[in-house]
């Protein structure tokens, strides 16, 4: 009902009569009043004027599930969204939901994470109401060894969504850091629940610095607000990310990895560079030549030998 009321109020420039609104929604005026109070309690500024009705003045800067769902128009991604003010990590909750059988496309969103995590066991800073902290459950029919393609697919989707919704060009550092220049804007974390020969489900975690102010960012990080010098609408950005992930996921299901790898090649800044890749105990240095069909990075060292790495931390040397 909240969605319907907001939809009406957002469409109307002036006041909407309470009688008209209640009868359109098939509820009593009293029930409508109760819903309006609930909306006001969560931050919607709605004025009520006798004989004129209700008018929406402003909406809160929150990524409420019902706001994201409204007008999303996807087939399966984001059909069910779980929204929280605060969580330890959206990854943990998505993992629990996955184990309970949540369908492919289920999304977990939080306004804040107390223990947000990044790749290689790092902490992911998740200040309240500033970023996008999202985990998505996918159930692909594929071998666990092939799952890296989903990380690349998500990185491409996030770049496309930022371009479309914010008008900013971003680049991908292998495998999945989203950069502007050489500063990090966001990252993707993929976790699997799998057997040797079958993925049960995958959790894709997306973390993006959106409205973080410069003073709250470390030197090597940036935010969309810092880049665009304006406040960014997180709802439209989340919606666009979900749409892009869905269309690229369908592309992958229908045409395989090749078109995704091609898109990733277009968006990346790692290929052609001299890199150092830190993997567990060693590091590999050389020229990043290409990625293979599984998303592994091919590095040619100074002796001319090409090695493939599937995970690690890349430093661009020049
Ligand atoms: C990286 O190291 O670059 C990946 C960062 C991924 C952060 C996101 S925020 C939403 C989800 N929940 C987490 O705890 N981590 C991921």
């Amino acid at each position: 009902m909240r969605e319907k009321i907001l939809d009406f109020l957002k469409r109307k420039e002036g006041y909407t009569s309470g009688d008209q609104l209640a009868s359109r929604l098939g509820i009593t005026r009293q029930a409508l009043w109760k819903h309006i109070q609930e909306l006001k309690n969560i931050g919607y500024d709605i004025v009520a004027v006798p004989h004129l009705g209700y008018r929406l003045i402003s909406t809160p800067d929150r990524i409420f599930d019902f706001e994201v769902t409204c007008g999303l128009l996807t087939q399966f991604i984001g059909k069910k969204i779980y929204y929280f003010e605060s969580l330890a990590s959206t990854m943990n909750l998505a993992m629990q939901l996955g184990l309970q059988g949540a369908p492919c496309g289920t999304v977990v969103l939080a306004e804040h994470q107390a223990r947000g995590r990044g790749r290689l066991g790092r902490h992911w800073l998740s200040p309240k109401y500033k970023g996008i902290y999202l985990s998505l459950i996918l159930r692909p029919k594929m071998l666990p060894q092939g799952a890296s393609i989903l990380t690349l697919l998500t990185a491409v989707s996030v770049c496309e969504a930022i371009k479309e919704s914010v008008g900013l060009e971003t680049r991908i550092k292998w495998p999945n850091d989203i950069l502007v220049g050489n500063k990090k804007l966001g990252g993707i974390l993929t976790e699997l629940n799998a057997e040797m020969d079958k993925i049960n489900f995958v959790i894709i975690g997306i973390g993006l610095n959106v409205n973080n102010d410069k003073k709250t960012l470390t030197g090597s990080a940036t935010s969309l607000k810092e880049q665009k010098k304006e406040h960014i609408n997180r709802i439209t950005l989340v919606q666009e990310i979900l749409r892009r992930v869905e269309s690229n996921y369908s592309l992958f299901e229908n045409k395989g990895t090749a078109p995704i790898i091609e898109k990733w090649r277009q968006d990346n800044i790692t290929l052609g560079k001299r890199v150092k890749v830190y993997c567990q105990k060693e590091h590999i240095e050389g020229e990043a030549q290409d990625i293979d069909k599984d998303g592994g990075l091919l590095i040619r060292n100074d002796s001319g030998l090409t090695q493939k790495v599937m995970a690690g931390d890349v430093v661009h040397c020049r």
Side-chain angles (χ1 to χ4, degrees):
M1 189 53 69
R2 277 183 302 200
E3 294 86 325
K4 288 188 180 151
I5 296 173
L6 284 171
D7 194 38
F8 266 107
L9 296 179
K10 280 181 186 172
R11 282 163 197 261
K12 199 77 177 277
E13 287 261 312
Y15 287 86
T16 308
S17 122
D19 273 341
Q20 211 185 15
L21 190 52
S23 77
R24 286 270 201 101
L25 295 168
I27 56 175
T28 62
R29 280 207 62 164
Q30 216 175 3
L32 173 64
W33 183 85
K34 243 181 110 187
H35 286 299
I36 297 274
Q37 294 316 306
E38 278 167 18
L39 285 168
K40 285 169 91 163
N41 288 342
I42 55 172
Y44 288 85
D45 185 4
I46 301 170
V47 287
V49 175
H51 309 299
L52 284 175
Y54 296 107
R55 183 175 176 187
L56 178 65
I57 305 293
S58 69
T59 58
D61 182 14
R62 302 285 181 274
I63 36 177
F64 292 132
D65 47 339
F66 55 88
E67 287 275 14
V68 175
T69 319
C70 184
L72 182 62
L73 299 177
T74 49
Q75 298 297 313
F76 64 98
I77 297 215
K79 283 285 153 205
K80 177 70 196 163
I81 299 180
Y82 292 85
Y83 168 87
F84 297 86
E85 275 276 301
S86 185
L87 279 178
S89 161
T90 55
M91 299 304 276
N92 301 352
L93 190 83
M95 193 56 82
Q96 277 176 30
L97 291 169
L99 290 169
Q100 288 162 14
C104 182
T106 302
V107 168
V108 179
L109 271 175
E111 299 281 11
H112 164 259
Q113 298 184 116
R115 286 189 296 281
R117 57 178 183 269
R119 287 175 61 235
L120 311 168
R122 293 188 184 122
H123 180 59
W124 188 261
L125 265 183
S126 313
K128 202 165 193 177
Y129 308 132
K130 298 290 180 195
I132 292 175
Y133 319 117
L134 181 161
S135 291
L136 166 68
I137 301 174
L138 293 175
R139 296 185 179 274
K141 290 187 183 59
M142 65 194 289
L143 293 171
Q145 298 85 305
S148 300
I149 194 71
L150 300 173
T151 313
L152 306 188
L153 181 157
T154 309
V156 165
S157 307
V158 169
C159 289
E160 289 176 352
I162 293 173
K163 177 87 195 298
E164 174 68 26
S165 165
V166 182
L168 183 74
E169 292 279 354
T170 52
R171 289 282 170 266
I172 308 167
K173 186 175 92 166
W174 187 87
N176 52 17
D177 281 353
I178 312 292
L179 304 187
V180 180
N182 55 8
K183 292 198 170 186
K184 184 157 168 170
L185 187 67
I188 288 136
L189 177 70
T190 304
E191 295 181 351
L192 297 188
N193 179 295
E195 287 150 44
M196 284 299 280
D197 55 355
K198 172 177 159 255
I199 289 180
N200 298 322
F201 59 89
V202 181
I203 310 293
I204 311 269
I206 302 173
L208 266 185
N209 300 330
V210 182
N211 286 318
N212 315 53
D213 294 309
K214 197 179 163 75
K215 60 178 187 306
T216 63
L217 294 162
T218 62
S220 57
T222 189
S223 70
L224 290 172
K225 184 178 175 186
E226 192 197 0
Q227 293 297 320
K228 293 292 288 183
K229 312 279 182 255
E230 64 189 30
H231 189 271
I232 304 296
N233 184 329
R234 291 181 301 147
I235 296 171
T236 48
L237 182 54
V238 170
Q239 289 177 322
E240 196 55 34
I241 290 173
L242 300 181
R243 286 188 202 111
R244 297 286 172 156
V245 171
E246 181 168 288
S247 74
N248 285 318
Y249 189 69
S250 304
L251 183 65
F252 161 64
E253 284 193 317
N254 295 326
K255 301 251 163 74
T257 59
I260 304 300
I261 299 268
E262 199 37 51
K263 284 190 180 205
W264 187 92
R265 282 197 186 103
Q266 304 276 324
D267 288 347
N268 96 95
I269 47 158
T270 299
L271 299 184
K273 288 219 165 68
R274 187 165 179 88
V275 294
K276 260 189 199 168
V277 185
Y278 294 87
C279 328
Q280 306 223 321
K281 286 185 186 124
E282 47 158 13
H283 77 261
I284 300 169
E285 188 168 347
E287 191 196 310
Q289 287 203 303
D290 202 357
I291 51 167
D292 75 353
K293 59 176 180 9
D294 310 320
L297 184 66
L298 303 173
I299 303 166
R300 189 181 146 100
N301 71 15
D302 295 338
S303 331
L305 186 78
T306 298
Q307 282 174 281
K308 172 172 156 177
V309 277
M310 286 310 292
D313 221 8
V314 172
V315 175
H316 291 161
C317 305
R318 61 179 132 86

